Amino acid sequence: MKEPPLVTANTVLSILAVDYPVEKVSCYVSDDGAAMLTFDSLSETSEFARKWVPFCKKYNIEPRAPE
């Protein structure tokens, strides 16, 4: 069964928002189905994370990723 793109995006956002040294965190996503919807949702997630994660860290917002 295929994972919904929103669940995948939230999981990636959770990984990117973790309070851990950036140089020690990596996130790899494998999409065996090569779905454009998954690619587009992850592209949007990365753009959002570039703004959201620093904002959360600056203002100590927890949790940093949606459920």
Side-chain angles (χ1 to χ4, degrees), residues 13-14 16-17 44-66:
L13 186 58
S14 294
L16 295 175
E44 290 294 323
T45 300
S46 69
E47 287 297 317
F48 176 71
R50 285 188 182 130
K51 297 174 182 100
W52 177 246
V53 172
F55 178 83
C56 288
K57 288 181 180 181
K58 182 176 180 179
Y59 294 104
N60 295 319
I61 295 175
E62 292 288 341
R64 295 179 179 159

Side-chain angles (χ1 to χ4, degrees), residues 18-45:
V18 70
D19 188 17
Y20 201 73
V22 176
E23 63 276 358
K24 294 185 177 184
V25 176
S26 296
C27 178
Y28 299 93
V29 177
S30 175
D31 181 15
D32 296 344
M36 276 310 288
L37 181 59
T38 303
F39 175 80
D40 288 340
S41 68
L42 290 176
S43 179
E44 290 294 323
T45 300

Side-chain angles (χ1 to χ4, degrees), residues 6-7 9-11 13-14 63-67:
L6 184 59
V7 172
N10 287 344
T11 302
L13 186 58
S14 294
R64 295 179 179 159
E67 290 185 19

